[in-house]
Amino acid sequence: MPKTVTLIRSATLSDVAEYAYAATAPSDARLIFLAGACPLNPDGNTAAAGDYAGQARVAFDTMRTALADAGAAVDDVISTRVLVASSRQADLVAAWEAVRDRFGEHDPPSTLFGVTVLGYDDQLVEIEAVAAVRDPA
């Protein structure tokens, strides 16, 4: 089956951003809106306390599971928002690099936010995503 999401890179904008600037999905695609994926262990405690990159990896794995449960995969992600509880750019970069590495070649448009606090004790990272899939006929 052909890929549903088309990533768009801009030849007129800076190539410093390491992701596509836009993405499209055909009109017959089903959109999947994921809640923020949190870095939680199966027991409900926050994983990788104090580790921005570690929490980003766990949150990504949580997002991947939610995608699979909705009938999608990482390559179906059309955009993300990565929230990082820090005002330090280095912390945001650590989380972003971990997320980017997990996406591999599929680098959807993303917005990286520094926020004051997230919902769970010791939580530093959360990832929201939108995906697009075509259901088999």
Side-chain angles (χ1 to χ4, degrees):
M1 182 182 301
K3 197 171 174 182
T4 302
V5 174
T6 301
L7 301 178
I8 301 166
R9 286 153 180 57
S10 175
T12 56
L13 295 172
S14 169
D15 62 358
V16 171
E18 297 176 356
Y19 52 84
Y21 277 93
T24 63
S27 61
D28 64 340
R30 175 173 56 95
L31 295 179
I32 301 167
F33 298 87
L34 276 73
C38 300
L40 299 178
N41 290 318
D43 66 5
N45 289 317
T46 303
D51 181 357
Y52 289 91
Q55 286 198 10
R57 288 187 289 272
V58 174
F60 191 94
D61 292 344
T62 300
M63 179 191 73
R64 184 190 333 256
T65 299
L67 285 165
D69 289 348
V74 169
D75 285 348
D76 297 316
V77 172
I78 196 166
S79 68
T80 67
R81 290 176 200 88
V82 180
L83 292 77
V84 182
S86 179
S87 61
R88 291 179 13 128
Q89 187 178 26
D91 297 335
L92 277 70
V93 169
W96 170 248
E97 287 177 347
V99 170
R100 184 189 64 209
D101 290 348
R102 288 286 172 118
F103 269 113
E105 292 296 314
H106 183 74
D107 56 349
S110 186
T111 301
L112 179 63
F113 292 94
V115 299
T116 304
V117 66
L118 292 167
Y120 292 96
D121 290 339
D122 302 317
Q123 183 183 358
L124 302 172
V125 178
E126 189 164 326
I127 305 170
E128 294 180 18
V130 176
V133 295
R134 284 186 167 139
D135 292 320

PDB file of all heavy atoms in Angstrom, residues 60 63 74-75 77 80 96 98-108 127 129:
ATOM      1  N   PHE A  60       8.107   8.320  23.492  1.00  0.00           N
ATOM      2  CA  PHE A  60       7.996   7.906  22.092  1.00  0.00           C
ATOM      3  C   PHE A  60       7.482   6.476  22.000  1.00  0.00           C
ATOM      4  O   PHE A  60       6.600   6.175  21.186  1.00  0.00           O
ATOM      5  CB  PHE A  60       9.353   8.030  21.389  1.00  0.00           C
ATOM      6  CG  PHE A  60       9.253   7.887  19.908  1.00  0.00           C
ATOM      7  CD1 PHE A  60       9.137   8.992  19.082  1.00  0.00           C
ATOM      8  CD2 PHE A  60       9.255   6.632  19.315  1.00  0.00           C
ATOM      9  CE1 PHE A  60       9.030   8.862  17.710  1.00  0.00           C
ATOM     10  CE2 PHE A  60       9.153   6.484  17.947  1.00  0.00           C
ATOM     11  CZ  PHE A  60       9.038   7.604  17.135  1.00  0.00           C
ATOM     12  N   MET A  63       3.880   6.532  22.626  1.00  0.00           N
ATOM     13  CA  MET A  63       3.191   7.033  21.435  1.00  0.00           C
ATOM     14  C   MET A  63       3.096   5.935  20.383  1.00  0.00           C
ATOM     15  O   MET A  63       2.046   5.739  19.772  1.00  0.00           O
ATOM     16  CB  MET A  63       3.938   8.243  20.862  1.00  0.00           C
ATOM     17  CG  MET A  63       3.309   8.810  19.602  1.00  0.00           C
ATOM     18  SD  MET A  63       4.369  10.016  18.785  1.00  0.00           S
ATOM     19  CE  MET A  63       5.628   8.935  18.098  1.00  0.00           C
ATOM     20  N   VAL A  74       4.573   4.612  13.182  1.00  0.00           N
ATOM     21  CA  VAL A  74       5.347   5.856  13.264  1.00  0.00           C
ATOM     22  C   VAL A  74       5.396   6.576  11.915  1.00  0.00           C
ATOM     23  O   VAL A  74       5.312   7.802  11.856  1.00  0.00           O
ATOM     24  CB  VAL A  74       6.770   5.557  13.797  1.00  0.00           C
ATOM     25  CG1 VAL A  74       7.685   6.750  13.658  1.00  0.00           C
ATOM     26  CG2 VAL A  74       6.688   5.119  15.253  1.00  0.00           C
ATOM     27  N   ASP A  75       5.504   5.830  10.806  1.00  0.00           N
ATOM     28  CA  ASP A  75       5.556   6.462   9.481  1.00  0.00           C
ATOM     29  C   ASP A  75       4.239   7.121   9.083  1.00  0.00           C
ATOM     30  O   ASP A  75       4.189   7.843   8.091  1.00  0.00           O
ATOM     31  CB  ASP A  75       5.950   5.441   8.413  1.00  0.00           C
ATOM     32  CG  ASP A  75       7.431   5.109   8.466  1.00  0.00           C
ATOM     33  OD1 ASP A  75       8.188   5.809   9.164  1.00  0.00           O
ATOM     34  OD2 ASP A  75       7.832   4.140   7.796  1.00  0.00           O
ATOM     35  N   VAL A  77       2.682   9.213  11.152  1.00  0.00           N
ATOM     36  CA  VAL A  77       2.588  10.477  11.899  1.00  0.00           C
ATOM     37  C   VAL A  77       2.741  11.640  10.933  1.00  0.00           C
ATOM     38  O   VAL A  77       3.673  11.699  10.135  1.00  0.00           O
ATOM     39  CB  VAL A  77       3.648  10.539  13.021  1.00  0.00           C
ATOM     40  CG1 VAL A  77       3.679  11.919  13.666  1.00  0.00           C
ATOM     41  CG2 VAL A  77       3.353   9.466  14.060  1.00  0.00           C
ATOM     42  N   THR A  80       3.848  16.445  15.137  1.00  0.00           N
ATOM     43  CA  THR A  80       3.986  16.239  16.581  1.00  0.00           C
ATOM     44  C   THR A  80       4.187  17.567  17.293  1.00  0.00           C
ATOM     45  O   THR A  80       4.571  18.568  16.691  1.00  0.00           O
ATOM     46  CB  THR A  80       5.187  15.332  16.949  1.00  0.00           C
ATOM     47  OG1 THR A  80       6.397  16.006  16.617  1.00  0.00           O
ATOM     48  CG2 THR A  80       5.122  13.993  16.272  1.00  0.00           C
ATOM     49  N   TRP A  96      14.485  16.667  22.149  1.00  0.00           N
ATOM     50  CA  TRP A  96      14.214  16.688  20.707  1.00  0.00           C
ATOM     51  C   TRP A  96      15.099  15.694  19.963  1.00  0.00           C
ATOM     52  O   TRP A  96      14.639  14.959  19.088  1.00  0.00           O
ATOM     53  CB  TRP A  96      14.393  18.085  20.141  1.00  0.00           C
ATOM     54  CG  TRP A  96      14.349  18.063  18.646  1.00  0.00           C
ATOM     55  CD1 TRP A  96      15.361  18.314  17.778  1.00  0.00           C
ATOM     56  CD2 TRP A  96      13.227  17.702  17.841  1.00  0.00           C
ATOM     57  NE1 TRP A  96      14.946  18.135  16.489  1.00  0.00           N
ATOM     58  CE2 TRP A  96      13.631  17.757  16.499  1.00  0.00           C
ATOM     59  CE3 TRP A  96      11.923  17.317  18.132  1.00  0.00           C
ATOM     60  CZ2 TRP A  96      12.775  17.461  15.441  1.00  0.00           C
ATOM     61  CZ3 TRP A  96      11.072  17.024  17.070  1.00  0.00           C
ATOM     62  CH2 TRP A  96      11.501  17.102  15.751  1.00  0.00           C
ATOM     63  N   ALA A  98      16.414  12.953  21.010  1.00  0.00           N
ATOM     64  CA  ALA A  98      15.950  11.590  21.279  1.00  0.00           C
ATOM     65  C   ALA A  98      14.714  11.258  20.448  1.00  0.00           C
ATOM     66  O   ALA A  98      14.605  10.161  19.886  1.00  0.00           O
ATOM     67  CB  ALA A  98      15.666  11.409  22.764  1.00  0.00           C
ATOM     68  N   VAL A  99      13.788  12.199  20.343  1.00  0.00           N
ATOM     69  CA  VAL A  99      12.582  11.990  19.527  1.00  0.00           C
ATOM     70  C   VAL A  99      12.966  11.875  18.058  1.00  0.00           C
ATOM     71  O   VAL A  99      12.526  10.955  17.356  1.00  0.00           O
ATOM     72  CB  VAL A  99      11.565  13.135  19.749  1.00  0.00           C
ATOM     73  CG1 VAL A  99      10.427  13.064  18.740  1.00  0.00           C
ATOM     74  CG2 VAL A  99      11.026  13.099  21.171  1.00  0.00           C
ATOM     75  N   ARG A 100      13.783  12.785  17.576  1.00  0.00           N
ATOM     76  CA  ARG A 100      14.199  12.772  16.168  1.00  0.00           C
ATOM     77  C   ARG A 100      14.889  11.450  15.823  1.00  0.00           C
ATOM     78  O   ARG A 100      14.621  10.849  14.787  1.00  0.00           O
ATOM     79  CB  ARG A 100      15.130  13.943  15.881  1.00  0.00           C
ATOM     80  CG  ARG A 100      15.530  14.035  14.412  1.00  0.00           C
ATOM     81  CD  ARG A 100      16.621  15.048  14.187  1.00  0.00           C
ATOM     82  NE  ARG A 100      17.808  14.569  14.890  1.00  0.00           N
ATOM     83  CZ  ARG A 100      18.732  15.358  15.391  1.00  0.00           C
ATOM     84  NH1 ARG A 100      18.615  16.659  15.306  1.00  0.00           N
ATOM     85  NH2 ARG A 100      19.780  14.857  16.011  1.00  0.00           N
ATOM     86  N   ASP A 101      15.755  10.976  16.708  1.00  0.00           N
ATOM     87  CA  ASP A 101      16.451   9.719  16.458  1.00  0.00           C
ATOM     88  C   ASP A 101      15.470   8.553  16.358  1.00  0.00           C
ATOM     89  O   ASP A 101      15.647   7.654  15.539  1.00  0.00           O
ATOM     90  CB  ASP A 101      17.483   9.443  17.547  1.00  0.00           C
ATOM     91  CG  ASP A 101      18.671  10.378  17.481  1.00  0.00           C
ATOM     92  OD1 ASP A 101      18.830  11.114  16.465  1.00  0.00           O
ATOM     93  OD2 ASP A 101      19.448  10.392  18.460  1.00  0.00           O
ATOM     94  N   ARG A 102      14.422   8.557  17.177  1.00  0.00           N
ATOM     95  CA  ARG A 102      13.435   7.471  17.142  1.00  0.00           C
ATOM     96  C   ARG A 102      12.627   7.493  15.836  1.00  0.00           C
ATOM     97  O   ARG A 102      12.225   6.456  15.339  1.00  0.00           O
ATOM     98  CB  ARG A 102      12.480   7.549  18.332  1.00  0.00           C
ATOM     99  CG  ARG A 102      13.111   7.175  19.653  1.00  0.00           C
ATOM    100  CD  ARG A 102      13.309   5.661  19.741  1.00  0.00           C
ATOM    101  NE  ARG A 102      14.073   5.294  20.902  1.00  0.00           N
ATOM    102  CZ  ARG A 102      13.636   4.542  21.887  1.00  0.00           C
ATOM    103  NH1 ARG A 102      12.414   4.087  21.880  1.00  0.00           N
ATOM    104  NH2 ARG A 102      14.421   4.252  22.891  1.00  0.00           N
ATOM    105  N   PHE A 103      12.389   8.691  15.291  1.00  0.00           N
ATOM    106  CA  PHE A 103      11.651   8.778  14.034  1.00  0.00           C
ATOM    107  C   PHE A 103      12.487   8.286  12.859  1.00  0.00           C
ATOM    108  O   PHE A 103      11.934   7.822  11.868  1.00  0.00           O
ATOM    109  CB  PHE A 103      11.173  10.216  13.762  1.00  0.00           C
ATOM    110  CG  PHE A 103       9.810  10.510  14.293  1.00  0.00           C
ATOM    111  CD1 PHE A 103       9.635  11.397  15.330  1.00  0.00           C
ATOM    112  CD2 PHE A 103       8.683   9.906  13.746  1.00  0.00           C
ATOM    113  CE1 PHE A 103       8.375  11.685  15.828  1.00  0.00           C
ATOM    114  CE2 PHE A 103       7.414  10.179  14.236  1.00  0.00           C
ATOM    115  CZ  PHE A 103       7.258  11.074  15.274  1.00  0.00           C
ATOM    116  N   GLY A 104      13.787   8.394  12.933  1.00  0.00           N
ATOM    117  CA  GLY A 104      14.641   7.948  11.831  1.00  0.00           C
ATOM    118  C   GLY A 104      14.406   8.782  10.583  1.00  0.00           C
ATOM    119  O   GLY A 104      14.385  10.007  10.631  1.00  0.00           O
ATOM    120  N   GLU A 105      14.193   8.107   9.458  1.00  0.00           N
ATOM    121  CA  GLU A 105      14.017   8.800   8.170  1.00  0.00           C
ATOM    122  C   GLU A 105      12.692   9.559   8.075  1.00  0.00           C
ATOM    123  O   GLU A 105      12.563  10.473   7.278  1.00  0.00           O
ATOM    124  CB  GLU A 105      14.109   7.792   7.022  1.00  0.00           C
ATOM    125  CG  GLU A 105      15.490   7.200   6.847  1.00  0.00           C
ATOM    126  CD  GLU A 105      16.526   8.238   6.459  1.00  0.00           C
ATOM    127  OE1 GLU A 105      16.253   9.058   5.561  1.00  0.00           O
ATOM    128  OE2 GLU A 105      17.606   8.243   7.080  1.00  0.00           O
ATOM    129  N   HIS A 106      11.711   9.151   8.850  1.00  0.00           N
ATOM    130  CA  HIS A 106      10.404   9.826   8.824  1.00  0.00           C
ATOM    131  C   HIS A 106      10.452  10.976   9.828  1.00  0.00           C
ATOM    132  O   HIS A 106      10.339  10.770  11.037  1.00  0.00           O
ATOM    133  CB  HIS A 106       9.285   8.841   9.181  1.00  0.00           C
ATOM    134  CG  HIS A 106       7.921   9.456   9.106  1.00  0.00           C
ATOM    135  ND1 HIS A 106       7.306   9.726   7.908  1.00  0.00           N
ATOM    136  CD2 HIS A 106       7.068   9.867  10.065  1.00  0.00           C
ATOM    137  CE1 HIS A 106       6.128  10.275   8.136  1.00  0.00           C
ATOM    138  NE2 HIS A 106       5.955  10.373   9.453  1.00  0.00           N
ATOM    139  N   ASP A 107      10.639  12.176   9.318  1.00  0.00           N
ATOM    140  CA  ASP A 107      10.833  13.345  10.186  1.00  0.00           C
ATOM    141  C   ASP A 107       9.692  14.341  10.015  1.00  0.00           C
ATOM    142  O   ASP A 107       9.828  15.342   9.348  1.00  0.00           O
ATOM    143  CB  ASP A 107      12.189  13.995   9.908  1.00  0.00           C
ATOM    144  CG  ASP A 107      12.372  14.387   8.448  1.00  0.00           C
ATOM    145  OD1 ASP A 107      11.558  13.975   7.597  1.00  0.00           O
ATOM    146  OD2 ASP A 107      13.315  15.122   8.151  1.00  0.00           O
ATOM    147  N   PRO A 108       8.544  14.056  10.626  1.00  0.00           N
ATOM    148  CA  PRO A 108       7.365  14.895  10.414  1.00  0.00           C
ATOM    149  C   PRO A 108       7.537  16.291  11.005  1.00  0.00           C
ATOM    150  O   PRO A 108       8.381  16.505  11.878  1.00  0.00           O
ATOM    151  CB  PRO A 108       6.255  14.141  11.149  1.00  0.00           C
ATOM    152  CG  PRO A 108       6.966  13.406  12.226  1.00  0.00           C
ATOM    153  CD  PRO A 108       8.283  13.011  11.621  1.00  0.00           C
ATOM    154  N   ILE A 127       4.701  13.913  24.449  1.00  0.00           N
ATOM    155  CA  ILE A 127       4.656  14.016  22.985  1.00  0.00           C
ATOM    156  C   ILE A 127       3.217  13.849  22.510  1.00  0.00           C
ATOM    157  O   ILE A 127       2.584  12.823  22.767  1.00  0.00           O
ATOM    158  CB  ILE A 127       5.529  12.940  22.314  1.00  0.00           C
ATOM    159  CG1 ILE A 127       6.957  12.993  22.828  1.00  0.00           C
ATOM    160  CG2 ILE A 127       5.495  13.118  20.779  1.00  0.00           C
ATOM    161  CD1 ILE A 127       7.810  11.808  22.397  1.00  0.00           C
ATOM    162  N   ALA A 129       0.718  13.760  19.048  1.00  0.00           N
ATOM    163  CA  ALA A 129       0.891  13.434  17.623  1.00  0.00           C
ATOM    164  C   ALA A 129      -0.446  13.359  16.914  1.00  0.00           C
ATOM    165  O   ALA A 129      -1.478  13.078  17.524  1.00  0.00           O
ATOM    166  CB  ALA A 129       1.633  12.107  17.473  1.00  0.00           C
TER     167      ALA A 129
END
